[in-house]
Amino acid sequence: MNKLLQLLKNPFAIIEDKKLLFFGIFSFIIGIFLAYYFQLQRQILRLNILETPTITQVIIWHFIIVASLAIMFFTLGKIINRKTRFLDILNTVLIALIPIYISFFQNFNNFLTVQTTQMLDAIKDGSIYTQSPPVLFILVGFIGLFLFIYYIYLLFIGFKTATNAKKTSHYVLFFVLLIITDILTSGLINSI
């Protein structure tokens, strides 16, 4: 149990690079198929459930996300520590996406799509104030929030491990760069 907690806390410090890369690429491929199957448009900091993407779009979107995050964090990593390796940053990005891939199961049987559409319709017609959200929708929302927070945590801890970042300014730059990368890639993904 202790080993599992250590693994969840920082897999980048425990598992060797080649195994991380293999597992990251494997999960990336599975993630593409999950996104297509559950009809989800994944971006860096958001998830669009009202799109119905093609497999080509999903593949391109996932490559854009991984490439953008890896390049931006590698650049920042090199500024922080010249010894930062691209492989470590790439592993960080690939492994951090695993909680997001798990969260795709929230749309099993189009659950999120249906619930979100109903909620948007209720907002439009004003009946949102008289309805209470389904308990299952709230539960699924909390699970999704937990997985999203864990995704951000893995990005951060992996970046910190790869770059040996220790200063508060490094952490601030990490989060600022994450938001900037999300804004830039969202525009690119939405234009495809």
Side-chain angles (χ1 to χ4, degrees):
M1 184 69 165
N2 193 23
K3 186 135 181 148
L4 177 63
L5 289 175
Q6 289 176 340
L7 182 65
L8 291 173
K9 188 176 177 185
N10 189 353
F12 312 104
I14 296 172
I15 302 173
E16 64 182 58
D17 300 341
K18 291 177 185 174
K19 287 182 182 177
L20 281 173
L21 182 62
F22 173 77
F23 194 66
I25 291 172
F26 178 74
S27 66
F28 176 77
I29 293 167
I30 298 297
I32 288 172
F33 288 109
L34 287 175
Y36 177 70
Y37 178 77
F38 290 115
Q39 293 292 291
L40 298 168
Q41 181 195 53
R42 174 76 209 139
Q43 296 183 21
I44 292 175
L45 295 178
R46 61 198 97 172
L47 185 65
N48 187 351
I49 58 175
L50 300 178
E51 288 284 323
T52 51
T54 65
I55 189 70
T56 306
Q57 287 175 313
V58 172
I59 291 169
I60 292 169
W61 294 338
H62 278 74
F63 273 106
I64 288 171
I65 290 167
V66 170
S68 300
L69 285 172
I71 291 168
M72 296 295 254
F73 287 148
F74 179 67
T75 304
L76 179 59
K78 279 294 193 183
I79 293 169
I80 293 171
N81 180 355
R82 292 188 185 270
K83 294 180 182 179
T84 300
R85 300 182 317 158
F86 184 76
L87 177 63
D88 295 333
I89 298 295
L90 180 61
N91 283 342
T92 293
V93 173
L94 290 172
I95 297 300
L97 285 170
I98 292 172
I100 297 302
Y101 300 147
I102 293 169
S103 75
F104 289 169
F105 286 96
Q106 294 174 301
N107 204 32
F108 183 76
N109 207 16
N110 285 326
F111 176 76
L112 283 181
T113 305
V114 169
Q115 292 295 320
T116 303
T117 303
Q118 289 175 355
M119 189 170 35
L120 291 173
D121 290 343
I123 290 170
K124 287 178 187 174
D125 67 21
S127 65
I128 190 76
Y129 301 109
T130 60
Q131 296 177 1
S132 59
V135 174
L136 185 58
F137 185 62
I138 294 171
L139 179 64
V140 166
F142 278 121
I143 292 169
L145 179 62
F146 171 77
L147 290 168
F148 178 76
I149 291 169
Y150 188 55
Y151 154 69
I152 298 296
Y153 170 80
L154 285 175
L155 275 177
F156 176 73
I157 204 71
F159 177 79
K160 186 177 170 184
T161 302
T163 61
N164 201 23
K166 293 180 179 165
K167 296 181 181 176
T168 304
S169 60
H170 298 159
Y171 307 152
V172 170
L173 285 172
F174 167 84
F175 286 107
V176 168
L177 190 62
L178 180 63
I179 292 168
I180 290 170
T181 306
D182 175 60
I183 291 168
L184 294 175
T185 59
S186 292
L188 183 60
I189 287 172
N190 289 329
S191 68
I192 295 174

